[in-house]
Short mmCIF file of all heavy atoms in Angstrom, two decimals:
data_model
loop_
_atom_site.label_atom_id
_atom_site.label_comp_id
_atom_site.label_asym_id
_atom_site.label_seq_id
_atom_site.Cartn_x
_atom_site.Cartn_y
_atom_site.Cartn_z
N LEU A 1 0.87 -1.17 0.00
CA LEU A 1 0.00 0.00 0.00
C LEU A 1 0.91 1.22 0.00
O LEU A 1 1.79 1.35 0.85
CB LEU A 1 -0.91 0.01 1.23
CG LEU A 1 -2.05 1.03 1.27
CD1 LEU A 1 -3.07 0.64 2.33
CD2 LEU A 1 -1.57 2.45 1.53
N VAL A 2 0.68 2.10 -0.98
CA VAL A 2 1.43 3.35 -1.07
C VAL A 2 0.46 4.50 -0.90
O VAL A 2 -0.51 4.62 -1.66
CB VAL A 2 2.16 3.48 -2.43
CG1 VAL A 2 2.97 4.77 -2.48
CG2 VAL A 2 3.06 2.27 -2.68
N THR A 3 0.68 5.33 0.11
CA THR A 3 -0.21 6.48 0.32
C THR A 3 0.20 7.62 -0.61
O THR A 3 1.37 7.76 -0.97
CB THR A 3 -0.19 6.95 1.79
OG1 THR A 3 1.11 7.48 2.09
CG2 THR A 3 -0.52 5.81 2.74
N GLY A 4 -0.77 8.43 -0.99
CA GLY A 4 -0.49 9.54 -1.90
C GLY A 4 0.08 9.07 -3.21
O GLY A 4 1.00 9.67 -3.76
N ALA A 5 -0.50 8.00 -3.77
CA ALA A 5 0.08 7.35 -4.94
C ALA A 5 -0.58 7.73 -6.26
O ALA A 5 -0.25 7.16 -7.30
CB ALA A 5 0.05 5.83 -4.77
N ASN A 6 -1.50 8.66 -6.24
CA ASN A 6 -2.15 9.05 -7.49
C ASN A 6 -1.29 10.00 -8.33
O ASN A 6 -1.57 10.23 -9.50
CB ASN A 6 -3.51 9.70 -7.23
CG ASN A 6 -3.40 10.95 -6.39
OD1 ASN A 6 -3.13 10.86 -5.19
ND2 ASN A 6 -3.58 12.12 -6.99
N GLN A 7 -0.20 10.54 -7.72
CA GLN A 7 0.66 11.46 -8.46
C GLN A 7 2.05 11.45 -7.85
O GLN A 7 2.29 10.85 -6.81
CB GLN A 7 0.09 12.88 -8.41
CG GLN A 7 0.03 13.47 -7.02
CD GLN A 7 -0.51 14.90 -6.99
OE1 GLN A 7 -0.66 15.54 -8.01
NE2 GLN A 7 -0.81 15.40 -5.79
N GLY A 8 2.98 12.14 -8.51
CA GLY A 8 4.31 12.35 -7.96
C GLY A 8 5.10 11.10 -7.66
O GLY A 8 5.00 10.09 -8.33
N MET A 9 5.89 11.18 -6.59
CA MET A 9 6.76 10.07 -6.24
C MET A 9 5.99 8.83 -5.82
O MET A 9 6.41 7.71 -6.10
CB MET A 9 7.74 10.49 -5.15
CG MET A 9 8.89 11.33 -5.67
SD MET A 9 10.24 11.43 -4.50
CE MET A 9 9.44 12.31 -3.15
N GLY A 10 4.87 9.03 -5.14
CA GLY A 10 4.07 7.87 -4.75
C GLY A 10 3.62 7.08 -5.95
O GLY A 10 3.63 5.85 -5.95
N ASN A 11 3.22 7.79 -7.00
CA ASN A 11 2.80 7.13 -8.23
C ASN A 11 3.97 6.39 -8.87
O ASN A 11 3.81 5.27 -9.36
CB ASN A 11 2.23 8.18 -9.19
CG ASN A 11 1.68 7.56 -10.46
OD1 ASN A 11 2.35 7.54 -11.49
ND2 ASN A 11 0.46 7.05 -10.39
N GLN A 12 5.14 7.00 -8.87
CA GLN A 12 6.32 6.36 -9.45
C GLN A 12 6.70 5.11 -8.68
O GLN A 12 7.03 4.07 -9.27
CB GLN A 12 7.50 7.34 -9.46
CG GLN A 12 8.77 6.79 -10.08
CD GLN A 12 8.64 6.48 -11.56
OE1 GLN A 12 7.84 7.11 -12.25
NE2 GLN A 12 9.40 5.51 -12.05
N VAL A 13 6.64 5.18 -7.36
CA VAL A 13 6.95 4.01 -6.53
C VAL A 13 5.95 2.88 -6.81
O VAL A 13 6.34 1.72 -7.00
CB VAL A 13 6.94 4.38 -5.03
CG1 VAL A 13 7.05 3.13 -4.16
CG2 VAL A 13 8.07 5.35 -4.73
N ALA A 14 4.67 3.22 -6.87
CA ALA A 14 3.65 2.21 -7.16
C ALA A 14 3.89 1.58 -8.53
O ALA A 14 3.79 0.36 -8.69
CB ALA A 14 2.26 2.86 -7.11
N LYS A 15 4.23 2.39 -9.50
CA LYS A 15 4.47 1.90 -10.86
C LYS A 15 5.63 0.91 -10.90
O LYS A 15 5.54 -0.15 -11.52
CB LYS A 15 4.77 3.10 -11.77
CG LYS A 15 4.90 2.78 -13.23
CD LYS A 15 5.31 4.01 -14.04
CE LYS A 15 4.31 5.14 -13.85
NZ LYS A 15 4.70 6.34 -14.64
N GLU A 16 6.72 1.24 -10.21
CA GLU A 16 7.88 0.37 -10.24
C GLU A 16 7.64 -0.92 -9.46
O GLU A 16 8.12 -2.00 -9.85
CB GLU A 16 9.11 1.11 -9.72
CG GLU A 16 9.51 2.28 -10.62
CD GLU A 16 10.90 2.79 -10.35
OE1 GLU A 16 11.81 1.97 -10.15
OE2 GLU A 16 11.09 4.03 -10.36
N LEU A 17 6.89 -0.84 -8.37
CA LEU A 17 6.58 -2.05 -7.61
C LEU A 17 5.67 -2.98 -8.41
O LEU A 17 5.87 -4.21 -8.42
CB LEU A 17 5.93 -1.68 -6.28
CG LEU A 17 6.84 -1.00 -5.25
CD1 LEU A 17 6.04 -0.57 -4.04
CD2 LEU A 17 7.98 -1.93 -4.83
N VAL A 18 4.68 -2.42 -9.09
CA VAL A 18 3.81 -3.24 -9.93
C VAL A 18 4.62 -3.92 -11.03
O VAL A 18 4.39 -5.09 -11.35
CB VAL A 18 2.67 -2.39 -10.52
CG1 VAL A 18 1.95 -3.13 -11.64
CG2 VAL A 18 1.67 -2.02 -9.43
N ALA A 19 5.58 -3.19 -11.58
CA ALA A 19 6.44 -3.78 -12.62
C ALA A 19 7.25 -4.95 -12.07
O ALA A 19 7.62 -5.87 -12.82
CB ALA A 19 7.37 -2.72 -13.19
N ASP A 20 7.50 -4.94 -10.76
CA ASP A 20 8.21 -6.05 -10.10
C ASP A 20 7.31 -7.26 -9.87
O ASP A 20 7.79 -8.31 -9.43
CB ASP A 20 8.76 -5.61 -8.75
CG ASP A 20 9.92 -4.63 -8.87
OD1 ASP A 20 10.56 -4.58 -9.94
OD2 ASP A 20 10.19 -3.92 -7.89
N GLY A 21 6.00 -7.10 -10.05
CA GLY A 21 5.06 -8.17 -9.78
C GLY A 21 4.34 -8.03 -8.46
O GLY A 21 3.61 -8.93 -8.04
N VAL A 22 4.52 -6.89 -7.79
CA VAL A 22 3.85 -6.63 -6.52
C VAL A 22 2.43 -6.13 -6.79
O VAL A 22 2.20 -5.36 -7.72
CB VAL A 22 4.62 -5.57 -5.70
CG1 VAL A 22 3.92 -5.26 -4.38
CG2 VAL A 22 6.06 -6.03 -5.45
N THR A 23 1.47 -6.57 -5.98
CA THR A 23 0.12 -6.02 -6.03
C THR A 23 0.11 -4.77 -5.15
O THR A 23 0.45 -4.84 -3.97
CB THR A 23 -0.91 -7.03 -5.52
OG1 THR A 23 -0.90 -8.17 -6.38
CG2 THR A 23 -2.31 -6.43 -5.50
N VAL A 24 -0.26 -3.63 -5.72
CA VAL A 24 -0.14 -2.36 -5.01
C VAL A 24 -1.49 -1.65 -4.89
O VAL A 24 -2.16 -1.39 -5.90
CB VAL A 24 0.85 -1.42 -5.73
CG1 VAL A 24 0.95 -0.09 -4.97
CG2 VAL A 24 2.22 -2.06 -5.84
N PHE A 25 -1.87 -1.36 -3.66
CA PHE A 25 -3.02 -0.48 -3.43
C PHE A 25 -2.54 0.96 -3.64
O PHE A 25 -1.61 1.42 -2.97
CB PHE A 25 -3.55 -0.65 -2.01
CG PHE A 25 -4.41 -1.88 -1.83
CD1 PHE A 25 -3.88 -3.04 -1.28
CD2 PHE A 25 -5.75 -1.87 -2.20
CE1 PHE A 25 -4.67 -4.16 -1.11
CE2 PHE A 25 -6.55 -2.99 -2.04
CZ PHE A 25 -6.00 -4.15 -1.50
N VAL A 26 -3.18 1.64 -4.57
CA VAL A 26 -2.82 3.01 -4.91
C VAL A 26 -3.68 3.95 -4.07
O VAL A 26 -4.83 4.24 -4.40
CB VAL A 26 -3.04 3.27 -6.41
CG1 VAL A 26 -2.75 4.73 -6.77
CG2 VAL A 26 -2.17 2.33 -7.25
N GLY A 27 -3.14 4.38 -2.94
CA GLY A 27 -3.89 5.24 -2.03
C GLY A 27 -4.05 6.64 -2.59
O GLY A 27 -3.08 7.25 -3.05
N SER A 28 -5.28 7.15 -2.53
CA SER A 28 -5.56 8.48 -3.06
C SER A 28 -6.74 9.08 -2.31
O SER A 28 -7.76 8.42 -2.12
CB SER A 28 -5.89 8.40 -4.55
OG SER A 28 -6.28 9.65 -5.07
N ARG A 29 -6.61 10.34 -1.90
CA ARG A 29 -7.74 11.00 -1.23
C ARG A 29 -8.95 11.06 -2.16
O ARG A 29 -10.08 10.87 -1.74
CB ARG A 29 -7.35 12.41 -0.81
CG ARG A 29 -6.49 12.49 0.43
CD ARG A 29 -6.26 13.92 0.85
NE ARG A 29 -5.60 14.70 -0.19
CZ ARG A 29 -5.38 16.01 -0.12
NH1 ARG A 29 -5.80 16.69 0.94
NH2 ARG A 29 -4.75 16.65 -1.09
N ASP A 30 -8.70 11.34 -3.43
CA ASP A 30 -9.75 11.43 -4.44
C ASP A 30 -9.79 10.10 -5.19
O ASP A 30 -8.86 9.75 -5.91
CB ASP A 30 -9.45 12.58 -5.40
CG ASP A 30 -10.57 12.81 -6.40
OD1 ASP A 30 -10.92 11.86 -7.13
OD2 ASP A 30 -11.07 13.95 -6.47
N LEU A 31 -10.88 9.34 -5.00
CA LEU A 31 -10.96 8.01 -5.59
C LEU A 31 -10.90 8.06 -7.11
O LEU A 31 -10.29 7.18 -7.74
CB LEU A 31 -12.24 7.30 -5.14
CG LEU A 31 -12.43 5.87 -5.65
CD1 LEU A 31 -11.24 4.99 -5.28
CD2 LEU A 31 -13.72 5.28 -5.10
N ALA A 32 -11.50 9.07 -7.73
CA ALA A 32 -11.47 9.18 -9.19
C ALA A 32 -10.03 9.30 -9.69
O ALA A 32 -9.65 8.65 -10.68
CB ALA A 32 -12.31 10.36 -9.64
N ARG A 33 -9.25 10.11 -9.01
CA ARG A 33 -7.85 10.25 -9.41
C ARG A 33 -7.08 8.96 -9.17
O ARG A 33 -6.19 8.60 -9.94
CB ARG A 33 -7.20 11.40 -8.64
CG ARG A 33 -7.74 12.77 -9.03
CD ARG A 33 -7.04 13.88 -8.28
NE ARG A 33 -7.56 15.19 -8.65
CZ ARG A 33 -7.14 16.34 -8.14
NH1 ARG A 33 -6.19 16.34 -7.22
NH2 ARG A 33 -7.66 17.48 -8.54
N GLY A 34 -7.42 8.29 -8.09
CA GLY A 34 -6.79 7.00 -7.81
C GLY A 34 -7.10 5.98 -8.87
O GLY A 34 -6.24 5.19 -9.29
N ARG A 35 -8.34 5.97 -9.33
CA ARG A 35 -8.74 5.04 -10.38
C ARG A 35 -8.00 5.33 -11.68
O ARG A 35 -7.55 4.41 -12.39
CB ARG A 35 -10.25 5.11 -10.60
CG ARG A 35 -11.06 4.41 -9.52
CD ARG A 35 -12.54 4.66 -9.69
NE ARG A 35 -13.33 3.88 -8.73
CZ ARG A 35 -14.57 4.17 -8.37
NH1 ARG A 35 -15.17 5.26 -8.89
NH2 ARG A 35 -15.21 3.43 -7.50
N THR A 36 -7.88 6.61 -12.00
CA THR A 36 -7.15 7.00 -13.22
C THR A 36 -5.69 6.56 -13.12
O THR A 36 -5.13 6.00 -14.07
CB THR A 36 -7.24 8.52 -13.43
OG1 THR A 36 -8.60 8.89 -13.61
CG2 THR A 36 -6.44 8.94 -14.65
#
């Protein structure tokens, strides 16, 4: 689980972990942005 992952460094961290095969919860205050 990465908090603040809809943008910036959190998004980059989530992206790289998913590329490793990790299942990542993309935490976002705004669910629509998190879904995007």
